[in-house]
């Protein structure tokens, strides 16, 4: 009798302990979000859960407006990416999207935005009404910067855009979306990202690049089906930094990673900006402000666009 009682007691204590541990983990995550993202106007924990429903509002408030509507009878070009593609710190007339529209005489839709990532491109292609809004596309252009591998593991950035980067993982050889609840419990705390995830990025280059590649592969498959096989270009853009300490250790390694050759096999043309226009693109002349704003300026895009068009034969 005593033995059975002891066993039941042990089981009960373990169950209570597990429940307390899960509750503590949930509280810890919510606390870390509140502490590390005080600039959020809304509760980021709630914001993260509601992001998919609120995407049309986000799209309206944050994304660049389409340019080149006077060429509406032409097939469009669509830009994806982060702040470089978006044109952070630039007036509309100085952005990549505006200049491309004028060079090519065609509509250009800028679907990039600050802190965006490849997962946001895939999210837009999977979950939004992008194909209704942009029915005819002959070119997709992704602007890649060398810190984007880390963004595969980034959840929420409240400055300046409240960006939610959906999370994906490879399961049984297939790309699957990670549920929001799982993301919150496992990944959102700033400490976890800095101490666990980013070091693992540097250690697991092959695994991380596989995920990066699969996201582009799936995105291209959807674009091919919906937009009838558009030209797909990935422009690798270097980050100008006099002090590179703000970048994860893995970033530069991935820019030079040998796995980029695989993109050609699935029909994605990878163009390296430095190879295209020379190392001068990394100089202070081509950024908004060399002291505190390393985003490309209008001079940089004027240098790059003609050579990019010539090399990739964008029409």
């Amino acid at each position: 009798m005593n033995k059975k009682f002891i066993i039941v007691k042990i089981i009960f204590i373990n169950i209570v302990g597990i429940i307390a541990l899960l509750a503590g983990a949930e509280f810890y995550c919510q606390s870390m979000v509140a502490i590390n993202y005080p600039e959020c106007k809304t509760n980021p924990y709630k914001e993260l859960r509601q992001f998919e429903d609120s995407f049309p509002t986000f799209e309206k408030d944050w994304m660049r407006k389409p340019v080149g509507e006077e060429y509406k009878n032409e097939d469009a070009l669509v830009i994806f990416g982060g702040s470089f593609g978006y044109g952070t710190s630039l007036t509309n007339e100085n952005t990549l999207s505006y200049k491309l529209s004028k060079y090519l005489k065609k509509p250009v839709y800028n679907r990039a935005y600050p802190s965006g990532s490849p997962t946001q491109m895939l999210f837009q292609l999977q979950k939004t009404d992008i194909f209704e809004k942009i029915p005819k596309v002959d070119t997709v252009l992704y602007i890649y910067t060398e810190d984007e591998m880390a963004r595969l593991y980034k959840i929420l950035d409240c400055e300046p855009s409240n960006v939610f980067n959906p999370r994906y993982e490879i399961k049984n050889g297939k790309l699957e979306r990670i549920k929001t609840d799982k993301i919150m419990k496992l990944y959102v705390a700033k400490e976890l990202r800095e101490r666990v995830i980013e070091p693992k990025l540097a250690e697991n280059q092959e695994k991380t690049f596989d995920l990066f590649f699969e996201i582009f592969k799936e995105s291209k498959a959807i674009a091919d089906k919906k937009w009838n096989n558009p030209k797909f270009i990935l422009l690798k853009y270097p980050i100008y930094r006099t002090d590179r300490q703000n970048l994860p250790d893995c970033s530069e390694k991935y820019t030079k990673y040998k796995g980029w050759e695989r993109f050609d096999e699935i029909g994605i043309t990878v163009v390296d900006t430095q190879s295209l226009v020379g190392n001068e693109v990394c100089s202070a002349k081509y950024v908004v402000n060399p002291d505190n704003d390393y985003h490309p300026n209008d001079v940089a895009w004027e240098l790059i666009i003609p050579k990019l068009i010539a090399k990739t034969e964008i029409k």
Side-chain angles (χ1 to χ4, degrees), residues 267-300:
I268 294 179
T269 302
V270 177
V271 179
D272 184 274
T273 305
Q274 286 175 274
S275 300
L276 185 69
V277 298
N279 291 334
E280 63 175 329
V281 75
C282 293
S283 67
K285 176 182 176 181
Y286 296 101
V287 297
V288 173
N289 186 326
D291 294 327
N292 56 26
D293 194 335
Y294 52 83
H295 293 95
N297 59 20
D298 59 314
V299 179

Side-chain angles (χ1 to χ4, degrees), residues 166-220:
R167 284 293 308 278
Y168 295 83
E169 61 185 345
I170 300 175
K171 243 183 186 179
N172 300 320
K174 294 182 179 180
L175 198 64
E176 290 188 13
R177 177 84 178 275
I178 301 175
K179 291 182 179 180
T180 302
D181 286 346
K182 183 179 177 183
I183 291 172
M184 288 299 300
K185 287 183 174 68
L186 298 180
Y187 301 109
V188 83
K190 184 179 180 182
E191 284 78 2
L192 289 178
R193 187 172 68 247
E194 290 181 348
R195 297 177 190 175
V196 179
I197 295 173
E198 287 187 358
K200 282 187 177 179
L201 276 169
E203 294 166 10
N204 299 307
Q205 277 195 327
E206 187 173 344
K207 183 178 179 181
T208 302
F209 199 92
D210 284 346
L211 177 60
F212 181 79
F213 177 80
E214 288 299 324
I215 288 169
F216 274 91
K217 183 179 177 181
E218 181 68 18
S219 297
K220 186 177 188 302

